[in-house]
Amino acid sequence: MSDPGDGQRDEWYLWGPYLSERQWGTVREDYSPDGEAWNYLPHDHARSRAYRWGEDGLAGFSDIQQRLCVALALWNGRDPILKERLYGLSGPEGNHGEDAKEYWWYLDALPSHAWNRWRYHYPQAAFPYEDLRVENGRRGRDDPEYELLDTGVFDDDRYWIVEVHYAKASPTDLLMTVQVTNAGPDAATLHVLPTVWFRNTWSWTGDAPRPELAATGQGTVDITEPSFLGELELLAAPGPDGVAPTLLFCDNETNPARHGGTAAGSAYPKDGVNDHVVSGAATVNPAQRGTKCAAWYRLAVPPGATVELRLRLRPKGIGSDAGTAIGSEYDGVLAVRRAEADEFYADLTPPAASADEASVMRQAFGGMLWSKQLYYYDVARWLDGDPGQPVPPPTRLTGRNHRWRTFSAFDVMSMPDKWEYPWFAAWDLAFHCVALAHVDPVFAKNQLLLVCREWFQHPNGALPAYEWDFGDVNPPVHALAALEVFNLDGARDLDFLSLVFDKLMVNFTWWVNRQDIEGTNLFEGGFLGLDNIGPLDRSHLPVTGSLQQSDATGWMATFALAMVPIASILHRSGSRPARDLVRKFLEHFAQIRKALEQQGMWDEADGLFYDRISTPAGTMPVKVHSMVAIIPMLAAAVIDESTLDEVAGARKMFAELLARHGWHNARQLAEAGLLRGEPGQRRLLVSAVGVERVQRLLAKLFDAGEFLSPYGLRSLSRFHHEHPYEIDVAGVRATIDYEPAESNVTMFGGNSNWRGPVWFPLNFLATAALDRYHRFFGDDLKVEYPTGSGDLKSLAEVSADLSARLVSIFLVGPDGRRPCFGAIERFQRDPNWKDNILFYEYFHGDNAAGLGASHQTGWTGLVADLIRRRHGLVPSLAETVQGRPERVAKP
């Protein structure tokens, strides 16, 4: 069965999990003179200051414009504040940067959000806010993080299991079920406050209409939002004791008593519900109206028992009476939507997959679908300030993102992690789209198009990198992602391919013009998403000079090669004439290949590519054994003779191109190992790295003493554990050594620790590259795997083994443990925890324990793709590229 959103997709997208999980501490909300976003609006301010650009909440849902928000608040009777949002340490507070100090999971979701399931574990003791902050502040970067489990608040199982299930009776009719289980040994009371509120759209301009919430009876609230939603009603069913919840109202406006705010502030500001519940203050509106409303339930729950609450948000005056709407009709909707979700994922699950693989895959897709968020950020308005509001500090006009005035986003986007990274990152997004294409190809395609739209892409062609610095540079992987998404969607949406191709051509030109300063076809770019992988800050060199990067150059070769099949497909299908564009990108590729071959990036003794730093005193290599040294190998494609024949004249063009670069005839190509097969069936290997160098790179890559770990490929070689690297350039000395977990270097600040850990994006690309090489060589090329083992395997076998290693990070192994959970015994053994999967940002380079952002389901969600791919459910991209897709209208 298909997702109920199919056929009426736009309507079913109206409501979804579009709330952030952390709006505080973001660049958007920062109006400080120094740009220290974490300090300007910290967690302590979040409950009492109105946000300008978005909202956050627990298990949050909103409409697609985030006019009206729905989320959960909790209080255990001991905390100093309501639990309205997840707590965590800011970048300066955490000993390894920002870090959420909570336990929650995205267990399930459909693309239409007709069914979503979320889980949270909440201590019954007072939440140890101060203990977490002080102890982590005391610890250094060489110490482990102090986690919520370490505080003892979950001892004796004294905690609440809270699940929220959303289901839709129709695109405009949303059901919210809250299930509360007392996991502890004694009866306990929990205050549960499902909350609805309006995003504050009225405080920033004088003429914005003001929406309203108003009680109309026990457990019934009228909702009026004239600009978009119209009139709705909220039905809050009585609790398990038969008592209707107490309706509490205040306004989503800043509390002037805590923060100043506007002179005409509300008498019942944003923290009114908090202060009333926690301390009994008279801070809620007795008239029972406002722009924020909580339905206050007091639940006395015996040990081991589960109770359920029901709420329904629907258009006013439509549908059955309240009793039926939250009774038998409600039961029917839940049963249907749950069954549809089961059927949807049963169709996606490979028949040969284990039950554990199926569960991991479903939770990975669920986490990706939960990680959507409305991203609202008008840079020009942010720089200049709002009418009638205090003028932003003058430093803003020359500070962060000031060159990006054309950027104006008001779009639902896939986020890396809605707590740690509640803002898009351009190259993360490309990998998200590959995984999302399995469950929601329309959304995946729209995401790739969005980042290239005129309100995102800079007029000069640059793509915005991420909120903290749009002008930084991310790897150009979007053409690769577009090909994968096109393929996963059935290779039929030529309109999408044509649209994204045009914008990527502009971006490609920007790279050529702006990131090849010396015109050598060796590219710069800065950190390129690899953060601490080198000894120097690659975005801000500490010396006068430039850095020619083997990874940037490899990325650009890959970019060029990905544009070739896109142009070929468009030309072959009759969508548009693109023969000259095939030639254009082959020409670019050949120039980059020549530069890699001849300009000193390759180190013959070490068998690796290295960055080169150029200063007035001369040029020297940066001899770090890292993924930077491997990326040029990823630029490889196999071109069939039939494919060249299909693009009229392409064979002649390419022959001329090869001749200009030293390959004059088929015999030379065959002798070089680049042309194989019988005439008419020949295959040409087009790669940025020669065959002999590829074999040397693979020997390093598959060496357990270098890159190969039991769980994939490390980002930095273990070689540096015994051989730290030191560079001395222009009087600046820096070192790097192997760190399999958290980095002890704060080069980029925050949670930026790319050194030894395994992380998914490059592992994913490496397995795909091995498959491409195997397509050319077949079983004729076998390599020692692992290096030194004496075992020879084809590259397809190696790729399959690497995929299996990556998938195994999340699966229960022979020892009964999931590697991703490391030494956390409760995660490994406790029935309430052990099967709830977290998709971390990266993984310990030796034992695969999860590290970094705990909900980075974005690119780590690629594990779902790998599970389907390794069981044969992903069509071959190579076959798509050489096939004959028919022109099909965009769905």
Side-chain angles (χ1 to χ4, degrees):
M1 180 178 291
S2 64
D3 177 5
D6 287 356
Q8 301 174 345
R9 189 170 300 276
D10 290 344
E11 292 182 16
W12 284 90
Y13 278 163
L14 175 62
W15 293 94
Y18 308 140
L19 254 66
S20 170
E21 286 174 339
R22 179 178 61 81
Q23 187 69 12
W24 60 273
T26 61
V27 167
R28 281 157 289 159
E29 301 296 340
D30 175 24
Y31 285 80
S32 69
D34 57 10
E36 295 294 334
W38 287 112
N39 297 329
Y40 180 76
L41 205 167
H43 177 269
D44 182 58
H45 291 193
R47 69 181 180 277
S48 51
R49 281 174 63 177
Y51 295 130
R52 170 63 179 90
W53 299 100
E55 294 292 336
D56 57 20
L58 296 177
F61 255 51
S62 78
D63 64 90
I64 204 165
Q65 292 189 11
Q66 205 175 96
R67 300 284 180 158
L68 183 67
C69 306
V70 183
L72 187 65
L74 303 166
W75 189 51
N76 57 19
R78 296 176 173 87
D79 286 354
I81 58 173
L82 292 185
K83 179 62 67 177
E84 294 180 282
R85 56 190 53 80
L86 296 165
Y87 176 69
L89 301 179
S90 70
E93 290 174 334
N95 62 321
H96 295 142
E98 67 269 17
D99 187 36
K101 298 298 184 185
E102 304 265 19
Y103 301 113
W104 78 105
W105 298 267
Y106 310 123
L107 296 183
D108 209 4
L110 283 172
S112 66
H113 307 298
W115 173 258
N116 274 52
R117 183 175 164 220
W118 176 94
R119 181 180 177 111
Y120 174 60
H121 290 179
Y122 180 44
Q124 294 178 357
F127 195 92
Y129 292 102
E130 189 66 5
D131 183 24
L132 288 165
R133 187 188 65 80
V134 170
E135 179 58 22
N136 278 286
R138 186 189 66 78
R139 297 187 180 195
R141 295 192 71 84
D142 291 328
D143 299 317
E145 294 167 10
Y146 183 59
E147 303 291 4
L148 185 57
L149 276 170
D150 298 329
T151 69
V153 292
F154 287 96
D155 290 356
D156 302 320
D157 291 332
R158 297 182 185 276
Y159 65 95
W160 300 99
I161 301 171
V162 181
E163 285 208 12
V164 176
H165 303 166
Y166 286 103
K168 295 181 186 177
S170 75
T172 58
D173 190 346
L174 181 66
L175 284 59
M176 179 187 190
T177 305
V178 182
Q179 293 181 343
V180 175
T181 300
N182 180 357
D186 302 315
T189 297
L190 179 66
H191 301 253
V192 181
L193 297 98
T195 304
V196 294
W197 73 99
F198 291 108
R199 177 170 59 85
N200 189 323
T201 57
W202 56 89
S203 292
W204 324 111
T205 58
D207 57 352
R210 187 186 182 95
E212 186 177 68
L213 305 166
T216 56
Q218 285 194 337
T220 306
V221 179
D222 273 4
I223 301 169
T224 305
E225 203 289 313
S227 65
F228 180 59
L229 294 171
E231 294 191 349
L232 308 173
E233 66 176 355
L234 176 71
L235 307 177
D241 56 1
V243 177
T246 303
L247 298 178
L248 306 175
F249 290 81
C250 62
D251 288 310
N252 185 18
E253 297 183 20
T254 296
N255 181 351
R258 290 197 83 205
H259 305 294
T262 60
S266 169
Y268 306 100
K270 179 178 177 178
D271 52 7
V273 171
N274 174 88
D275 293 353
H276 180 75
V277 173
V278 172
S279 62
T283 51
V284 293
N285 191 341
Q288 291 200 301
R289 61 183 59 245
T291 52
K292 177 180 177 181
C293 170
W296 185 10
Y297 295 90
R298 304 165 182 83
L299 304 179
V301 186
T306 300
V307 298
E308 181 176 286
L309 305 176
R310 294 181 169 188
L311 299 95
R312 189 164 184 171
L313 178 66
R314 63 182 185 176
K316 184 174 173 57
I318 298 176
S320 55
D321 64 87
T324 304
I326 56 177
S328 58
E329 185 177 281
Y330 196 105
D331 291 332
V333 171
L334 290 182
V336 168
R337 296 305 182 220
R338 186 182 289 110
E340 287 170 342
D342 289 343
E343 204 164 341
F344 179 80
Y345 282 105
D347 287 345
L348 282 170
T349 303
S354 68
D356 202 14
E357 283 181 298
S359 176
V360 169
M361 185 198 77
R362 183 166 178 169
Q363 290 185 62
F365 282 138
M368 298 207 66
L369 293 169
W370 263 103
S371 295
K372 296 179 183 178
Q373 176 186 319
L374 177 73
Y375 187 74
Y376 182 23
Y377 187 21
D378 181 336
V379 171
R381 174 60 66 88
W382 179 77
L383 290 169
D384 297 336
D386 292 302
Q389 294 293 317
V391 177
T395 52
R396 170 161 304 222
L397 298 178
T398 56
R400 180 179 288 129
N401 296 334
H402 73 279
R403 299 183 187 275
W404 287 79
R405 280 186 169 271
T406 56
F407 185 97
S408 180
F410 189 73
D411 302 275
V412 170
M413 301 192 70
S414 177
M415 296 295 152
D417 178 311
K418 290 205 295 186
W419 194 93
E420 293 205 34
Y421 304 116
W423 28 263
F424 79 94
W427 88 303
D428 296 53
L429 190 66
F431 294 105
H432 300 189
C433 291
V434 174
L436 284 165
H438 292 264
V439 289
D440 195 349
V442 172
F443 182 69
K445 288 182 289 186
N446 287 342
Q447 292 290 284
L448 285 172
L449 290 171
L450 175 62
V451 78
C452 296
R453 294 301 297 265
E454 58 273 15
W455 58 89
F456 270 68
Q457 188 171 25
H458 197 280
N460 66 18
L463 298 183
Y466 49 90
E467 183 174 286
W468 286 86
D469 185 358
F470 283 153
D472 215 331
V473 184
N474 274 183
V477 293
H478 301 83
L480 275 175
L483 269 175
E484 287 285 357
V485 170
F486 174 75
N487 180 47
L488 288 164
D489 189 38
R492 62 184 188 271
D493 192 348
L494 295 163
D495 289 340
F496 156 72
L497 207 59
S498 183
L499 283 170
V500 78
F501 181 72
D502 287 340
K503 293 304 185 105
L504 291 176
M505 278 200 296
V506 178
N507 181 237
F508 188 93
T509 303
W510 174 84
W511 269 90
V512 170
N513 290 338
R514 297 294 185 94
Q515 298 300 321
D516 179 14
I517 294 173
E518 298 178 9
T520 61
N521 291 298
L522 298 178
F523 289 83
E524 299 90 38
F527 90 117
L528 286 177
L530 298 177
D531 294 14
N532 287 343
I533 206 165
L536 301 171
D537 183 341
R538 302 198 305 167
S539 290
H540 309 94
L541 285 179
V543 298
T544 300
S546 62
L547 186 70
Q548 295 168 329
Q549 298 176 214
S550 64
D551 58 336
T553 306
W555 287 127
M556 279 301 288
T558 305
F559 193 176
L561 275 188
M563 294 293 273
V564 169
I566 296 177
S568 177
I569 290 168
L570 294 173
H571 184 88
R572 189 172 61 231
S573 66
S575 298
R576 58 193 288 182
R579 186 172 60 192
D580 287 345
L581 293 173
V582 173
R583 180 171 184 165
K584 167 187 170 64
F585 288 106
L586 286 172
E587 289 276 8
H588 276 292
F589 170 78
Q591 294 288 352
I592 296 168
R593 186 187 194 280
K594 183 177 179 181
L596 278 169
E597 285 281 339
Q598 299 180 2
Q599 294 191 44
M601 305 293 278
W602 175 257
D603 187 288
E604 184 63 28
D606 292 350
L608 293 168
F609 287 97
Y610 290 137
D611 288 353
R612 297 193 319 172
I613 188 166
S614 297
T615 70
T619 299
M620 65 182 298
V622 182
K623 292 192 171 186
V624 177
H625 295 208
S626 75
M627 279 293 184
V628 166
I630 304 297
I631 287 172
M633 186 192 72
L634 303 180
V638 179
I639 300 180
D640 291 287
E641 206 162 359
S642 59
T643 301
L644 291 175
D645 286 340
E646 287 169 357
V647 183
R651 182 189 291 188
K652 179 176 182 293
M653 283 191 299
F654 198 56
E656 293 171 353
L657 183 149
L658 289 168
R660 283 198 301 279
H661 297 286
W663 307 108
H664 296 284
N665 55 51
R667 181 182 58 79
Q668 285 183 315
L669 288 169
E671 288 175 354
L674 299 177
L675 187 67
R676 296 169 62 85
E678 298 298 322
Q681 301 294 323
R682 290 181 295 191
R683 302 185 309 280
L684 179 68
L685 176 64
V686 183
S687 65
V689 181
V691 176
E692 290 183 2
R693 290 183 179 178
V694 167
Q695 290 176 287
R696 294 198 63 192
L697 286 167
L698 294 180
K700 292 282 189 184
L701 205 58
F702 304 151
D703 187 338
E706 294 254 11
F707 292 98
L708 183 64
S709 88
Y711 302 99
L713 301 172
R714 302 177 175 102
S715 51
L716 185 74
S717 171
R718 205 174 193 283
F719 168 82
H720 290 302
H721 179 65
E722 299 293 338
H723 307 89
Y725 175 70
E726 182 175 292
I727 186 171
D728 191 338
V729 56
V732 175
R733 179 170 293 180
T735 62
I736 188 169
D737 57 13
Y738 174 66
E739 298 173 83
E742 306 287 4
S743 172
N744 60 19
V745 176
T746 58
M747 188 183 300
F748 283 89
N751 188 359
S752 298
N753 303 302
W754 305 123
R755 285 217 161 161
V758 171
W759 50 298
F760 263 71
L762 280 183
N763 274 268
F764 179 79
L765 293 177
T767 60
L770 291 172
D771 288 334
R772 290 195 294 274
Y773 284 114
H774 178 77
R775 179 168 171 260
F776 180 73
F777 291 109
D779 289 344
D780 290 343
L781 176 62
K782 294 193 174 185
V783 297
E784 196 176 32
Y785 181 82
T787 300
S789 67
D791 294 332
L792 297 179
K793 297 185 183 297
S794 72
L795 296 185
E797 292 174 314
V798 174
S799 175
D801 183 74
L802 284 174
S803 294
R805 292 180 187 225
L806 292 164
V807 172
S808 75
I809 290 172
F810 302 96
L811 301 179
V812 176
D815 59 356
R817 302 172 71 86
R818 299 185 192 274
C820 62
F821 288 156
I824 306 174
E825 288 305 314
R826 190 179 285 268
F827 281 12
Q828 296 285 11
R829 303 297 185 191
D830 192 314
N832 286 331
W833 301 67
K834 67 185 181 70
D835 294 322
N836 304 323
I837 308 300
L838 294 171
F839 299 90
Y840 294 89
E841 188 175 1
Y842 47 92
F843 302 87
H844 192 288
D846 296 332
N847 61 36
L851 301 165
S854 56
H855 289 73
Q856 222 282 14
T857 318
W859 64 28
T860 304
L862 286 167
V863 67
D865 174 279
L866 290 176
I867 289 171
R868 300 196 78 228
R869 195 175 294 264
R870 69 194 294 248
H871 288 290
L873 293 192
V874 176
S876 165
L877 180 57
E879 292 175 4
T880 294
V881 169
Q882 64 179 307
R884 298 176 181 270
E886 296 180 358
R887 187 173 179 83
V888 178
K890 184 177 179 180

